[in-house]
Amino acid sequence: MKKFFLFLMLAGCLIGAMPAATQAADAPAGGSISGDSLQLKVAYNRATTDTIISIAADDKGTIMITTFDYLNVTRDWGKSWVTYRLPSDEMYGVHYVKGKFYLASVHVSQPDSAVHAYMSVDGKSWVPFNLNDDEGRPRTISNVQYVNGQYLLLTRQFGTGTTLFTSSNGTEWNETAALPSDIDFITWNGKVYSAFGGGYTFYGKPKTLSKNQFIVDAGRQNRYAEMIVYRSGDLRGWALQSGAVKATLNYTFAVNDVPSADYRYQPEQQVSNGVITLFDAYGNRLTSKDGTTFKLTSMKKTLNTTYDRSPMFKIGKNYMIFTKYWYSSGVVRSKVLTSTDGIKWKTTNLDKSLPNGMYVMQAGSKLIGHGDDHKVTISNDGFHWTRIR
């Protein structure tokens, strides 16, 4: 998901990287890899302790972390680290999918500035590539996926929706489609592609609930939501299935009378047997067999997740969901829900020394946790954690 941070102009940018950055900006539209590989300058033979901007990991022990100044890299699950200076004085995000890492600058205060983007298979050599759409506008990477045998780059620029680039090898990119919404992720259920752009929350039950409209928070005000869902057979042509703005709805949040997509959800697990399974921030699970029509099921009684939580992971014989709970002012601790069948769950509070407000991701057989206090920790079983940064 795209996160916005304060843009900092930093001294001491890597001058040696500028030719590569210029090549990336001048490369032909369409996104083919070009130019010599970029070797980042080593700053320290250790990890830094500054704020984490983004983190990505493969299943072989390589973990990469971007900060405002540096790229921290370990290739042995955190036993040793090398810190590199970033290619320029911009903020960078790092992504990983199927054997490839992507490092790209992020639009913050200058949405029309060039995006510097690089690809690497080892974190040592980085090859620059162009990230402009067919109209020459620079795009920021919001997500990288591997879906149905293709690499997908979801890219954005303020107020212009999503541009989708596709690639068969993850290095040569073609602009494939432009969608008017900010798309978070795409799925393939074996028959159709579905693109998801969150959705809108609103108050007051409509006379008739339309497609993908649900009551997501039953309380004094009864909050409803409608999902933004697109459908495609080939990733090129997309049709909106739900989420069109309706004048009859009392939207929760709007800017200049334009409703904002404030309903968020994410994949619960990989598409299985053609069924798409998602979860939202209100304790609900969303499922679909056809890729466009969803059913909502409240999981509040089944899953004790009253705070932000992770997707469902499979570690050994256990299904695991990590969630957070408020402990005291400024202190958010973690707990894990475990199950062997995905139906009955047990809750265990985790050690208080874990990163504050810990987010958990899975990398192969490992679990990686990071929080808002710059700490990174790793686990083999979800219960016992070792700090690696």
Side-chain angles (χ1 to χ4, degrees):
M1 302 273 171
K2 185 175 180 181
K3 297 182 179 179
F4 296 92
F5 301 88
L6 292 176
F7 181 82
L8 300 183
M9 296 303 294
L10 305 171
C13 68
L14 181 58
I15 296 176
M18 293 308 290
T22 302
Q23 274 185 330
D26 295 339
S32 63
I33 295 285
S34 63
D36 296 330
S37 62
L38 169 69
Q39 304 291 325
L40 297 180
K41 182 179 179 181
V42 175
Y44 309 104
N45 287 309
R46 59 172 174 80
T48 55
T49 57
D50 44 348
T51 301
I52 295 173
I53 301 299
S54 66
I55 183 170
D58 65 13
D59 58 358
K60 298 178 180 179
T62 298
I63 305 170
M64 298 191 189
I65 297 169
T66 60
T67 72
F68 284 113
D69 295 276
Y70 302 109
L71 174 69
N72 292 184
V73 179
T74 176
R75 300 179 179 88
D76 54 13
W77 297 115
K79 296 178 182 178
S80 62
W81 292 84
V82 178
T83 294
Y84 301 91
R85 294 192 182 277
L86 290 170
S88 62
D89 60 351
E90 297 160 290
M91 191 175 71
Y92 280 78
V94 63
H95 307 264
Y96 172 80
V97 66
K98 198 171 177 61
K100 293 177 172 59
F101 286 91
Y102 297 91
L103 181 70
S105 56
V106 179
H107 284 147
V108 179
S109 62
Q110 296 177 317
D112 295 321
S113 62
V115 171
H116 301 140
Y118 308 88
M119 185 278 295
S120 177
V121 296
D122 58 10
K124 297 178 181 178
S125 298
W126 294 87
V127 182
F129 67 97
N130 176 276
L131 203 56
N132 289 356
D133 63 17
D134 287 346
E135 297 181 10
R137 299 174 300 183
R139 314 296 293 182
T140 292
I141 296 176
S142 59
N143 197 6
V144 183
Q145 296 182 258
Y146 187 78
V147 178
N148 192 26
Q150 294 191 78
Y151 290 85
L152 309 182
L153 268 183
L154 298 175
T155 68
R156 299 177 185 173
Q157 187 189 44
F158 293 119
T160 59
T162 300
T163 300
L164 171 64
F165 295 86
T166 59
S167 172
S168 61
N169 57 18
T171 60
E172 298 172 343
W173 296 94
N174 295 298
E175 181 176 339
T176 304
L179 292 88
S181 302
D182 286 343
I183 301 300
D184 298 319
F185 58 93
I186 291 174
T187 62
W188 165 256
N189 71 347
K191 296 180 180 179
V192 299
Y193 294 97
S194 305
F196 300 91
Y200 303 103
T201 62
F202 57 92
Y203 293 107
K205 183 179 179 179
K207 292 182 179 179
T208 303
L209 287 174
S210 300
K211 184 176 183 178
N212 296 331
Q213 285 185 346
F214 318 100
I215 181 169
V216 294
D217 189 15
R220 288 182 300 175
Q221 293 182 305
N222 286 341
R223 181 173 296 187
Y224 291 79
E226 180 176 351
M227 301 172 68
I228 299 174
V229 181
Y230 292 82
R231 172 179 174 153
S232 175
D234 58 5
L235 291 174
R236 295 183 178 277
W238 292 88
L240 182 65
Q241 302 298 300
S242 60
V245 173
K246 300 172 178 61
T248 56
L249 297 182
N250 181 23
Y251 289 103
T252 305
F253 185 63
V255 178
N256 296 325
D257 295 326
V258 177
S260 295
D262 59 340
Y263 179 53
R264 312 318 303 177
Y265 47 83
Q266 57 182 300
E268 179 74 277
Q269 56 191 20
Q270 295 292 324
V271 176
S272 177
N273 297 320
V275 178
I276 301 170
T277 305
L278 316 173
F279 70 96
D280 67 14
Y282 296 95
N284 303 305
R285 181 170 287 170
L286 304 153
T287 56
S288 174
K289 294 182 179 180
D290 65 6
T292 61
T293 304
F294 281 79
K295 175 185 177 181
L296 181 143
T297 303
S298 175
M299 303 297 292
K300 292 180 180 179
K301 293 183 179 180
T302 304
L303 300 175
N304 181 20
T305 56
T306 56
Y307 210 81
D308 187 28
R309 75 168 178 93
S310 74
M312 183 168 63
F313 304 122
K314 184 71 180 297
I315 300 295
K317 297 181 179 180
N318 283 325
Y319 294 99
M320 292 189 161
I321 293 175
F322 294 86
T323 187
K324 310 169 191 178
Y325 63 98
W326 184 89
Y327 181 78
S328 62
S329 179
V331 180
V332 178
R333 292 184 176 170
S334 300
K335 55 187 175 182
V336 59
L337 283 65
T338 55
S339 173
T340 56
D341 58 10
I343 300 174
K344 296 180 180 179
W345 294 84
K346 177 183 178 181
T347 301
T348 303
N349 287 347
L350 296 176
D351 192 274
K352 63 182 181 180
S353 65
L354 291 179
N356 192 57
M358 185 172 72
Y359 294 90
V360 178
M361 58 188 289
Q362 185 171 6
S365 62
K366 307 283 188 181
L367 293 165
I368 300 171
H370 63 98
D372 57 16
D373 52 7
H374 74 256
K375 297 178 183 177
V376 179
T377 188
I378 194 167
S379 175
N380 293 318
D381 61 8
F383 296 100
H384 304 92
W385 295 80
T386 301
R387 182 176 172 181
I388 59 174
R389 182 186 190 266

